[in-house]
């Protein structure tokens, strides 16, 4: 809103107008700021690369999980169509007298979420972790049977 149109072009009103605009910008940034949970989940997802393959009868998700035991990995389905692969890689306990010279391997929580297609059978999911590679297989539902036309008998009146 331009105050000059209303005849209010004094420096006081223009300062008030500018401050009002600044407050609304700050409020917008505050309301649109990501939550801590969102930032944590985004970092966990970015650090967990995955491959997804589609076969005629299934979808296969492949995630590298070096050094993890099956108890450290969780595979679940949320909201009937979101596949969630998560877990935590823990730091090794330090042995007495040993210290890290370099530490490059990631530790901490990891997570990936995948929106499953409508034809995914969430009741037929299997997960296998072998040689540090997690393979999650989601079977596809069979295609729906095409509807046959219904014949209606025509009666003569």
């Amino acid at each position: 809103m331009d105050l000059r149109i209303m005849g209010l072009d004094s420096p006081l009103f223009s300062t008030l107008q500018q401050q009002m605009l600044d407050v609304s910008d700050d409020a917008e940034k505050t309301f649109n700021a990501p939550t801590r949970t969102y930032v944590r989940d985004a970092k966990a997802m970015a650090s967990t690369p995955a491959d997804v393959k589609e076969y005629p009868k299934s979808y296969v998700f492949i995630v590298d999980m070096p050094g993890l035991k099956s108890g450290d990995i969780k595979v679940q389905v949320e909201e009937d169509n979101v596949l969630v692969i998560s877990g935590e890689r823990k730091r090794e306990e330090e042995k007495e007298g040993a210290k890290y010279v370099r530490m490059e391997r990631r530790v901490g929580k990891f997570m990936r979420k995948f929106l499953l297609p409508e034809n995914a059978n969430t009741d037929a999911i299997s997960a296998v972790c072998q040689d540090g590679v997690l393979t999650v297989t989601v079977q596809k539902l069979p295609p729906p049977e095409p509807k046959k036309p219904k014949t209606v008998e025509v009666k003569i009146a």
Side-chain angles (χ1 to χ4, degrees):
M1 177 170 99
D2 192 2
L3 297 174
R4 289 176 289 175
I5 296 172
M6 297 172 52
L8 301 172
D9 56 351
S10 73
L12 174 64
F13 285 114
S14 62
T15 302
L16 286 173
Q17 178 187 19
Q18 187 59 43
Q19 286 179 348
M20 288 171 43
L21 291 174
D22 290 344
V23 168
S24 67
D25 287 345
D26 291 342
E28 184 176 330
K29 288 177 188 174
T30 301
F31 290 126
N32 291 332
T35 63
R36 287 183 185 198
T37 303
Y38 175 82
V39 171
R40 183 195 69 219
D41 290 352
K43 286 180 180 178
M45 290 174 67
S47 66
T48 310
D51 295 337
V52 181
K53 296 180 182 179
E54 181 178 5
Y55 291 98
K57 294 187 178 192
S58 65
Y59 297 98
V60 178
F61 301 83
I62 303 166
V63 184
D64 289 337
M65 302 278 174
L68 291 178
K69 299 177 181 101
S70 62
D72 297 331
I73 304 167
K74 186 170 18 172
V75 177
Q76 52 190 153
V77 177
E78 294 178 347
E79 301 171 13
D80 293 330
N81 68 339
V82 178
L83 177 69
V84 180
I85 301 171
S86 62
E88 184 172 5
R89 178 175 286 118
K90 297 175 181 150
R91 179 170 294 155
E92 294 177 5
E93 293 181 21
E94 292 187 26
K95 297 180 181 174
E96 194 172 319
K99 66 177 183 175
Y100 282 101
V101 176
R102 174 175 282 185
M103 186 185 316
E104 294 182 354
R105 296 182 304 151
R106 292 186 179 269
V107 293
K109 295 185 179 199
F110 61 87
M111 174 183 52
R112 282 303 302 265
K113 291 185 177 186
F114 302 94
L115 184 62
L116 296 172
E118 289 181 17
N119 67 341
N121 185 354
T122 56
D123 294 327
I125 297 177
S126 63
V128 176
C129 190
Q130 182 177 357
D131 297 330
V133 178
L134 175 68
T135 304
V136 179
T137 303
V138 181
Q139 297 299 321
K140 290 182 177 180
L141 292 169
E145 294 288 325
K147 290 187 176 182
K148 296 179 182 177
K150 182 179 178 181
T151 304
V152 177
E153 182 180 332
V154 178
K155 296 180 181 179
I156 300 175

